[in-house]
Amino acid sequence: MFTHMMMITALDMEAMVNTVKGWQENPVKFARSHGVSLSPEAEESNSEQKGIHILIIEGFLIYNYKPLIDVYDKCFYISIPYEECKRRRGTRTYTVPDPPGLFDGHVWPMYLKHRKEMDNNCNRIEYLDGMTTKEDIYNAVYKTIQNSLLNNL
């Protein structure tokens, strides 16, 4: 029987840390070596010139691994209440459908477990309300990043 269980040990978190550190060492070189298109401004910057480069790391369990947490400048977490989470999950179509009771018996309890670990691991998280619009979430993140950049210039 297939279950929707994902543990942090099933993810190669060390490789993710190494990838992020590779990007931090030289974002332009990293992007080029991974086939990422760069803006003309980014192309002109090199390790001797100060440029602004932003890497967004997205996923679940990204605040549950201390070595990865240590490389973040900003941390955002979009949360929604139980009822909305269950409703949204119920609208998804999976190749292998969820067996009855999976959400209440496994998915939500694992979320609560990992959320508690995350809260204990990282005290720099800015929590965002997932019940607001995507535009509101984007604007909140954009404003925080913009303020951070302005304060560090």
Side-chain angles (χ1 to χ4, degrees):
M1 179 177 152
F2 176 80
T3 61
H4 295 79
M5 186 164 112
M6 180 61 74
M7 300 178 72
I8 202 160
T9 55
L11 305 172
D12 193 345
M13 300 302 274
E14 187 175 331
M16 184 180 264
V17 171
N18 290 335
T19 300
V20 172
K21 287 184 177 180
W23 177 86
Q24 286 176 320
E25 288 173 15
N26 190 327
V28 173
K29 181 179 175 184
F30 183 89
R32 286 182 187 142
S33 70
H34 286 82
V36 176
S37 298
L38 297 168
S39 68
E41 295 84 5
E43 285 285 356
E44 292 173 9
S45 72
N46 59 43
S47 58
E48 294 174 14
Q49 294 176 316
K50 184 177 181 175
I52 296 173
H53 302 277
I54 297 172
L55 176 66
I56 299 172
I57 302 170
E58 181 274 332
F60 66 98
L61 302 179
I62 61 171
Y63 300 128
N64 292 73
Y65 187 65
K66 182 79 169 114
L68 192 54
I69 294 167
D70 292 342
V71 300
Y72 302 144
D73 293 312
K74 295 289 177 193
C75 301
F76 300 96
Y77 186 85
I78 302 170
S79 63
I80 56 175
Y82 164 86
E83 296 81 13
E84 181 65 10
C85 186
K86 186 172 184 174
R87 185 194 69 73
R88 289 182 188 183
R89 182 157 180 119
T91 65
R92 294 182 186 168
T93 303
Y94 293 100
T95 306
V96 178
D98 282 352
L102 181 69
F103 184 84
D104 288 320
H106 180 74
V107 174
W108 191 254
M110 290 302 289
Y111 161 76
L112 293 175
K113 175 185 182 285
H114 291 298
R115 170 76 186 256
K116 184 177 180 181
E117 290 174 7
M118 176 190 80
D119 291 339
N120 291 335
N121 287 339
C122 187
N123 61 1
R124 299 177 292 120
I125 298 171
E126 182 176 332
Y127 292 89
L128 304 168
D129 182 358
M131 299 299 287
T132 62
T133 67
K134 290 178 187 178
E135 184 179 71
D136 287 343
I137 293 169
Y138 171 85
N139 288 336
V141 171
Y142 181 81
K143 182 179 175 182
T144 299
I145 292 171
Q146 188 176 40
N147 287 340
S148 178
L149 292 172
L150 291 172
N151 290 329
N152 289 320
L153 292 178

